[in-house]
Amino acid sequence: MTIAQKSNLTSGLHLIATPIGNARDISLRALDLLASADVLAAEDTRSLRRLMDIHGISLDDRPLLAYHEHNGAKMRPRLMQEIAGGKSVLYASEAGTPLISDPGFDLVRAAREEGHYVTSAPGPTAAVTALSISGLPSDRFLFAGFLPNAKSARKRALDSVAAVEATVVFYESPKRLGAMLADAAEVLGSTRQAAVCRELTKRFEEVRRGTLTELAEFYQETQAKGEIVVLVEKGVAQEMTQEDVETLLRDHLETQSVRDASEAVAKTSGWPKRKVYQLALSLDA
């Protein structure tokens, strides 16, 4: 099968993503870009080479450069120089979009700052794939990324999204999953519905639904494996009493300044910043 003939792409940075699991999830446009770009770069060149072999795309005499967090500072100027010289540079992010914890983010920012053309072929995304099959509402959602490792910081992060009226999506390590779900049950509500999606698009893909407490109990006894996405049903905004706000402030003031604690609690509670700040000052006195 012939994917595409060589063509003259626009000089600039072209982004694609290697699939999150199934190699056939790559788009035809991404394959065209792979076959046509003058210079190829990837966080993991081995993954990209395997993907090209699967889909019958030859590298020929084009350079395939490793670009990752350890060599980014040295490699970015070279890639920018290639673009400035009229070349089309393709960067392949590792396992999906949109460049979450990916060195490609700095590459995009550098290209933008230098005024270069930047475009992307839409690619697979674990968060959206999980949202699509979780059974939780998808009309409004918040991607909250990875939670902090430390328990107290994780609880504060969970508290900050407790009242968000949208499905909240997290990425999580299988080793921390049980602890994260237990904290979520405590902070967000034990009966709140949630879903744990793992190994998306792979052979052992699984979606487990239940309350946060049910899921926490299961994964504290069962070691999860693979890539994990956790989704929690939307919260219900409630007006917080002064007692509620004071409790939150005391918790934040243990590790934060009055100003930082006030800003965090004002955002969570919906109270005016000035009022929260004045309350924080009285508690900190």
Side-chain angles (χ1 to χ4, degrees):
M1 178 178 68
T2 300
I3 298 298
Q5 298 296 319
K6 295 281 184 175
S7 62
N8 293 320
L9 291 179
T10 301
S11 171
L13 180 62
H14 301 259
L15 304 174
I16 70 164
T18 57
I20 59 177
N22 194 312
R24 294 183 63 82
D25 285 339
I26 195 166
S27 70
L28 292 176
R29 182 181 170 207
L31 294 177
D32 286 341
L33 292 172
L34 269 175
S36 305
D38 297 315
V39 179
L40 306 182
E43 181 180 7
D44 187 335
T45 56
R46 294 170 299 177
S47 293
L48 187 59
R49 283 301 299 266
R50 283 196 296 270
L51 189 66
M52 293 172 70
D53 290 342
I54 288 170
H55 293 288
I57 299 175
S58 60
L59 182 61
D60 297 327
D61 59 351
R62 296 178 295 165
L64 173 55
L65 307 173
Y67 174 82
H68 46 72
E69 61 178 338
H70 301 297
N71 74 347
K74 293 183 178 180
M75 185 58 69
R76 271 194 303 277
R78 175 176 175 180
L79 296 175
M80 294 302 102
Q81 187 176 23
E82 295 280 9
I83 295 174
K87 298 290 183 65
S88 56
V89 172
L90 177 141
Y91 173 74
S93 71
E94 184 66 14
T97 51
L99 302 178
I100 299 166
S101 300
D102 190 293
F105 172 78
D106 290 325
L107 187 61
V108 170
R109 184 162 56 184
R112 286 288 183 194
E113 288 175 351
E114 294 190 20
H116 297 310
Y117 174 74
V118 179
T119 190
S120 177
T125 305
V128 174
T129 302
L131 190 66
S132 300
I133 63 176
S134 68
L136 293 173
S138 58
D139 57 326
R140 196 167 178 223
F141 64 94
L142 169 69
F143 176 67
F146 290 94
L147 289 166
N149 293 335
K151 188 178 184 69
S152 59
R154 182 165 59 228
K155 284 186 174 182
R156 285 197 298 272
L158 287 165
D159 184 65
S160 71
V161 299
V164 172
E165 297 184 73
T167 299
V168 185
V169 184
F170 303 96
Y171 285 169
E172 190 51 88
S173 159
K175 292 182 179 180
R176 293 193 302 264
L177 181 60
M180 175 266 180
L181 288 167
D183 287 342
E186 179 182 338
V187 175
L188 304 180
S190 61
T191 60
R192 201 148 156 183
Q193 288 292 311
V196 174
C197 303
R198 69 176 193 87
E199 292 294 86
L200 293 170
T201 79
K202 301 176 184 177
R203 180 180 178 185
F204 297 107
E205 177 180 283
E206 178 186 57
V207 178
R208 184 171 292 274
R209 281 285 306 271
T211 65
L212 282 170
T213 295
E214 291 168 344
L215 291 173
E217 291 174 350
F218 178 84
Y219 284 108
Q220 284 175 329
E221 296 180 359
T222 305
Q223 177 61 55
K225 296 181 180 180
E227 304 294 327
I228 306 291
V229 183
V230 178
L231 306 96
V232 182
E233 73 171 341
K234 68 180 182 178
V236 178
Q238 298 179 346
E239 185 174 349
M240 299 185 73
T241 65
Q242 180 166 326
E243 183 179 355
D244 293 330
V245 175
E246 287 181 358
T247 299
L248 273 178
L249 277 171
R250 288 192 178 94
D251 182 51
H252 282 272
L253 285 169
E254 290 181 4
T255 57
Q256 293 178 301
S257 67
V258 169
R259 182 177 298 278
D260 290 342
S262 299
E263 289 182 358
V265 173
K267 184 176 181 181
T268 300
S269 65
W271 276 37
K273 289 183 180 180
R274 182 185 295 274
K275 188 174 181 180
V276 176
Y277 183 72
Q278 291 172 342
L279 184 57
L281 286 174
S282 67
L283 293 175
D284 192 56

